Amino acid sequence: LTKICHIAAQERCLIPGEELFACGQKASHMYFLVGGVMEYHDSGGECQPQEVEQGSRICEIVLWATWEHQGRLTGKIQAELVAIDSCKFRNIARRRSVTWHQCADYGAEYVRRFSVVCEEEHVLPDIWETGPVQLEEMVHAAFPPVALVDDNLTGVLPRLGQRWGIRAGTIGASSQH
């Protein structure tokens, strides 16, 4: 996790109207919108822009498959994002066999569910998120609970726990508060 944060992640800020990506561009990053509001314009441009709000995961598909953007994403108001470089993410995940297999399991399930939605709705969205229950199902299937044995995480875990609801002592286990 630390290597992904330090090597594969970077912060991005957009001003209103600034474009993050355009239709037809090869995708290279997944984004987390951590502040602000953005607008997604589909490739046809016939529909009203879709508002993308804080907390959204954008273009997660690029972590698991080759992807070309299907629309245009711009800042509606100032937007703050965390960008995950898909190549760097995969290179880091490959360093540990167990991690790579778990990521591959999650990615395969994500792509399967994404494909079903695309087929049913006849769209190829850059902005598609599983619901919280679906996300939790995919995470628990791919990343079974394991005990923390790495002392290097002692300072990281409390911060992650506050941000993402991880309980001390386990990663991948469902958290109950």
Side-chain angles (χ1 to χ4, degrees):
L1 182 61
T2 302
K3 287 185 180 183
I4 291 171
C5 292
H6 288 285
I7 297 171
Q10 66 184 40
E11 293 179 64
R12 293 278 313 264
C13 291
L14 297 177
I15 60 173
E18 186 177 358
E19 186 176 87
L20 183 63
F21 57 74
C23 186
Q25 286 180 336
K26 182 180 178 192
S28 60
H29 291 78
M30 175 193 175
Y31 302 94
F32 296 94
L33 182 57
V34 295
V37 179
M38 302 185 77
E39 289 185 327
Y40 181 72
H41 308 261
D42 69 13
S43 60
E46 297 172 9
C47 298
Q48 289 284 22
Q50 174 186 345
E51 199 166 271
V52 182
E53 297 179 341
Q54 182 175 328
S56 295
R57 298 183 323 271
I58 302 162
C59 208
E60 183 177 351
I61 189 70
V62 75
L63 297 180
W64 318 116
T66 301
W67 186 253
E68 184 176 284
H69 291 296
Q70 303 299 306
R72 184 170 61 95
L73 187 64
T74 60
K76 181 173 182 177
I77 62 172
Q78 183 171 328
E80 299 173 26
L81 302 110
V82 172
I84 305 294
D85 183 297
S86 61
C87 289
K88 290 178 181 177
F89 172 85
R90 286 190 294 275
N91 287 337
I92 293 165
R94 282 187 185 110
R95 292 179 186 167
R96 292 188 174 197
S97 179
V98 171
T99 302
W100 179 244
H101 290 293
Q102 290 173 327
C103 286
D105 290 346
Y106 174 88
E109 182 62 15
Y110 183 93
V111 169
R112 186 191 71 74
R113 291 179 188 222
F114 182 83
S115 298
V116 168
V117 169
C118 292
E119 189 173 305
E120 288 174 356
E121 298 180 14
H122 304 289
V123 295
L124 294 170
D126 290 295
I127 313 294
W128 179 75
E129 294 187 57
T130 58
V133 171
Q134 291 176 321
L135 178 61
E136 187 173 337
E137 289 171 359
M138 292 189 305
V139 167
H140 288 293
F143 302 96
V146 294
L148 287 178
V149 294
D150 188 347
D151 288 338
N152 293 329
L153 291 177
T154 55
V156 175
L157 187 58
R159 291 191 303 276
L160 290 177
Q162 290 173 350
R163 179 175 256 175
W164 294 316
I166 298 172
R167 291 182 302 154
T170 62
I171 292 179
S174 62
S175 59
Q176 296 180 0
H177 295 82

